[in-house]
Amino acid sequence: MANQRLYFIGAGGIGMANLVRYYLLRGAEVAGYDRTSSALTAALEKEGAAIVYDDDPKLIGEPWRDAGNTLVVRTPAVPESNRQLRWFRDHGFRIVKRAELLGEITRHRKGICVAGSHGKTTTSSMIANILRHTPEGCNAFLGGILRNINSNFVSAPQSPWAVIEADEYDRSFHHLSPFIAVVTSTDPDHLDIYGDEAGYLEGFARFTELVEPGGTLIVHTGLKLKPRVRRGVDVLSYSGGSEGDWHARDVRYGDGELRLTITGPGVEIVDISLGVPVEINIDNAVAAAAAATLAGATPQHIKRGLEEFQGAKRRFEIWNDGKDGTPVLIDDYAHSPNEVKASIESVKRLYPGRRLSVVFQPHLYTRTRDFAPEFAAALSAADEVIMPEIYPAREQPIPGVDSGLIMKDVKCESKRLIERKDLLNLIKNSNFDILMTLGAADIDRLLPDIQHILKGKITPVGEGA
């Protein structure tokens, strides 16, 4: 592998970047394309990747124009119309999806694969943060930036373990061969791929069939999923409550802390102070403890990993704690109705009696169309909702589908639709107690300006100023 060349189309995507890093560290020659430069692509270039920002095939470097010695890796987010992708196809290159490359890695290591409509990024990040302190360590391919190391990739070349966030979009997780698999949730999503809830659940059932004999499937209690495991695979249940083979007890809040004890078969990890003390992380911590224990972590490793866990960027990330008297600012990647509901409930529990304003940018026309009433119900728990236009990502507009489809059914004391370009000025001219940005869109790019506005330090210089 050390002499192989790889070309990544969509290199700056959060899921692609960790593979770029993995192969750079293995001595491969790596290049790629992304639509726009970012802090992540800048970091990859500094680490040795040659990245271009125009899909003109002429920009493909000469070493990567050899079909016999170049593997092309693509993400489903890149359309078939991409000119570089078409050039590689026309010239007979082997082209694989990101998930296929991850699948190859799991066949050479023991994969700990975390799947779910929500919770998978935080849970896989927790597992990685625990295992990186164990003697064997781990390699980890995460869907978010682990703030403890400011990277989405953990490297331990000699470790047998590979922690992987198993993405269900485009059935990507069907390429994996887990030794330990975790299923956090199966709330319907990506119905443009799966058709309906039954199809979505069938996709997860197929994932459970891939766990290798001698391995273990860890499933949250109460899911509609009916696992189909092979002979020789153990099945364990878990929850953040009192149910399941692994569960939490003695949960208590106070002085900005969330403390709990996690119990599993023959294991008890006492009085953990969660590093990111929000209710939605109780389930994630229990799942992480179960998986890490199976990978050889001791209760001491687990307690340390969970207490020192700083979270993944964009997963309930506190940008301003408000202790200086300025408004609290929290960002969360929540982009399904249940995630939005859980995030809002967590804020309400952390800051009882205070006014919560939410900026939610819907992600994808299909998701908005399929779940508009559920999004409206979840957002209605906030005191104020501000909603920019839909972020289309890979999709073309659908007639009749816009942010108003959600907003018309939101029931809270204040709500408004707004163009994204006007958001910073609205924030500048409004008063907030707690402001939370939600969604899988690119709203996070405005967070530095939003933070500065709320702290009253500068006038916005970015978009919408």
Side-chain angles (χ1 to χ4, degrees):
M1 189 70 220
N3 295 320
Q4 186 170 350
R5 298 186 181 100
L6 296 97
Y7 197 94
F8 289 83
I9 301 181
I14 194 69
M16 292 280 272
N18 48 40
L19 282 169
V20 171
R21 286 176 160 145
Y22 177 77
Y23 284 103
L24 281 171
L25 287 172
R26 287 170 65 87
E29 296 178 68
V30 179
Y33 154 83
D34 206 85
R35 186 174 58 181
T36 56
S37 61
S38 66
L40 189 49
T41 58
L44 295 178
E45 289 186 86
K46 188 175 181 180
E47 293 166 28
I51 300 176
V52 298
Y53 301 97
D54 187 307
D55 67 347
D56 186 344
K58 293 179 181 178
L59 296 178
I60 300 168
E62 191 61 37
W64 293 274
R65 302 177 79 87
D66 175 7
N69 197 36
T70 299
L71 176 67
V72 179
V73 187
R74 65 164 301 195
T75 168
V78 172
E80 289 292 335
S81 59
N82 181 276
R83 290 184 294 168
Q84 290 193 358
L85 179 60
R86 290 207 314 261
W87 185 89
F88 283 122
R89 286 200 192 285
D90 292 344
H91 289 81
F93 283 72
R94 182 187 172 210
I95 301 172
V96 300
K97 292 181 180 179
R98 166 185 176 269
E100 293 176 68
L101 204 54
L102 282 172
E104 192 172 308
I105 291 170
T106 62
R107 284 184 284 278
H108 292 90
R109 298 183 187 271
K110 290 184 176 181
I112 304 175
C113 303
V114 183
S117 46
H118 55 84
K120 57 183 176 287
T121 297
T122 299
T123 302
S124 55
S125 297
M126 284 179 169
I127 295 169
N129 200 54
I130 294 168
L131 294 184
R132 72 189 187 91
H133 294 301
T134 64
E136 287 188 321
C138 71
N139 298 276
F141 302 83
L142 307 174
I145 302 295
L146 177 59
R147 295 174 67 197
N148 294 75
I149 58 172
N150 198 33
S151 178
N152 60 345
F153 175 59
V154 178
S155 176
Q158 305 309 314
S159 174
W161 298 104
V163 180
I164 292 173
E165 180 173 331
D167 187 5
E168 78 274 20
Y169 175 70
D170 201 29
R171 298 182 174 85
S172 291
F173 59 174
H174 291 169
H175 292 284
L176 303 175
S177 297
F179 186 74
I180 299 170
V182 179
V183 178
T184 63
S185 51
T186 54
D187 304 326
D189 198 3
H190 303 302
L191 299 189
D192 55 322
I193 301 294
Y194 291 97
D196 54 21
E197 182 179 19
Y200 191 70
L201 291 171
E202 171 59 28
F204 275 87
R206 171 59 184 148
F207 172 70
T208 66
E209 288 183 312
L210 302 175
V211 182
E212 296 176 0
T216 304
L217 173 67
I218 305 167
V219 184
H220 197 291
T221 59
L223 303 186
K224 293 182 180 179
L225 171 67
K226 303 298 182 187
R228 296 198 301 258
V229 296
R230 291 185 273 182
R231 186 184 301 274
V233 173
D234 289 334
V235 180
L236 296 173
S237 60
Y238 81 94
S239 81
S242 59
E243 300 177 341
D245 300 305
W246 283 83
H247 56 270
R249 65 172 179 80
D250 196 20
V251 177
R252 49 209 195 280
Y253 295 83
D255 298 325
E257 285 192 316
L258 194 172
R259 307 189 78 91
L260 73 157
T261 292
I262 295 176
T263 300
V267 180
E268 187 171 70
I269 308 149
V270 179
D271 197 32
I272 303 163
S273 176
L274 277 188
V276 182
V278 293
E279 186 176 17
I280 54 178
N281 275 345
I282 298 174
D283 288 272
N284 299 330
V286 174
T293 297
L294 292 171
T298 66
Q300 291 75 24
H301 292 135
I302 293 167
K303 185 170 184 177
R304 177 184 177 185
L306 294 177
E307 291 191 337
E308 294 181 359
F309 181 64
Q310 296 176 17
K313 286 188 177 180
R314 298 225 62 210
R315 269 62 177 189
F316 215 92
E317 185 176 5
I318 298 177
W319 278 69
N320 187 33
D321 60 15
K323 292 179 180 177
D324 58 357
T326 58
V328 173
L329 176 61
I330 301 170
D331 177 53
D332 193 64
Y333 192 72
H335 58 285
S336 72
N338 279 351
E339 286 180 301
V340 170
K341 180 175 183 289
S343 293
I344 291 174
E345 287 177 349
S346 290
V347 174
K348 290 286 191 177
R349 182 182 284 269
L350 277 176
Y351 303 96
R354 296 180 63 176
R355 189 172 190 271
L356 172 62
S357 301
V358 169
V359 178
F360 174 68
Q361 184 174 23
H363 182 262
L364 300 178
Y365 292 102
T366 53
R367 185 179 286 137
T368 302
R369 176 198 64 197
D370 294 336
F371 301 108
E374 291 85 354
F375 276 121
L379 290 164
S380 294
D383 300 295
E384 178 181 22
V385 175
I386 301 163
M387 198 179 303
E389 65 274 15
I390 294 171
Y391 183 78
R394 57 188 176 268
E395 294 185 338
Q396 295 300 312
I398 297 175
V401 178
D402 56 27
S403 293
L405 192 65
I406 297 173
M407 188 65 96
K408 67 182 178 63
D409 292 323
V410 171
K411 297 176 176 60
C412 61
E413 63 183 58
S414 175
K415 61 181 186 178
R416 54 186 131 179
L417 295 169
I418 187 172
E419 291 189 36
R420 184 183 181 280
K421 66 181 179 63
D422 297 326
L423 180 60
L424 291 179
N425 276 335
L426 183 149
I427 292 172
K428 181 181 178 182
N429 295 303
S430 302
N431 294 317
F432 300 101
D433 183 9
I434 302 171
L435 181 63
M436 188 177 199
T437 54
L438 290 176
D442 63 351
I443 203 80
D444 60 306
R445 297 187 181 186
L446 300 181
L447 283 166
D449 274 341
I450 294 173
Q451 181 188 52
H452 289 150
I453 294 169
L454 296 184
K455 283 183 169 289
K457 291 182 176 179
I458 62 169
T459 55
V461 296
E463 182 175 344

